[in-house]
Amino acid sequence: MATIEECRAALEKLSDNMAGAQGHAGEATALDRSVSCHVKDLDVTFVGRMRDGRIEVHDTLQGPPAEKAQIRLAMTGDDLVALVAGELNFAKAWGSGRVKLEAGFRDLLQLRKLL
């Protein structure tokens, strides 16, 4: 089972990957939205903001997110680490319910460019 530190490191790596995105993927990273990532098996939520092509994690909270972020992710820590490492396909994980992504319709259209 992935630790909180490994999950935070995975989110930092994801942020670094997003910062280097170009083309259509770069357009998707230009969003300015509140973000939460609930790691279900650890029962912690990383909350922050996606802006300027990066994810800034502001806090780590116990339990599910108290406030509804504009972009919400939920998954296990192992799945988060595997996704960022490229070992788990996001679309397949989302389609099977292993990863949950909730956002407004326009945001979902933008975020699909990252896939």
Side-chain angles (χ1 to χ4, degrees), residues 30-46:
L31 293 172
D32 183 358
R33 301 287 187 268
S34 59
V35 178
S36 69
C37 180
H38 180 68
V39 181
K40 298 185 293 186
D41 55 335
L42 298 175
D43 198 26
V44 297
T45 301
F46 296 95

Side-chain angles (χ1 to χ4, degrees), residues 32-93:
D32 183 358
R33 301 287 187 268
S34 59
V35 178
S36 69
C37 180
H38 180 68
V39 181
K40 298 185 293 186
D41 55 335
L42 298 175
D43 198 26
V44 297
T45 301
F46 296 95
V47 293
R49 188 140 203 103
M50 176 196 281
R51 86 169 113 220
D52 299 326
R54 298 196 64 85
I55 297 172
E56 303 166 359
V57 176
H58 298 152
D59 207 357
T60 305
L61 308 172
Q62 195 64 37
E67 295 182 21
K68 189 174 178 180
Q70 291 166 305
I71 298 172
R72 298 168 304 282
L73 288 162
M75 67 194 82
T76 66
D78 288 342
D79 284 346
L80 173 60
V81 171
L83 278 171
V84 174
E87 300 166 359
L88 179 63
N89 179 281
F90 181 85
K92 288 181 181 179

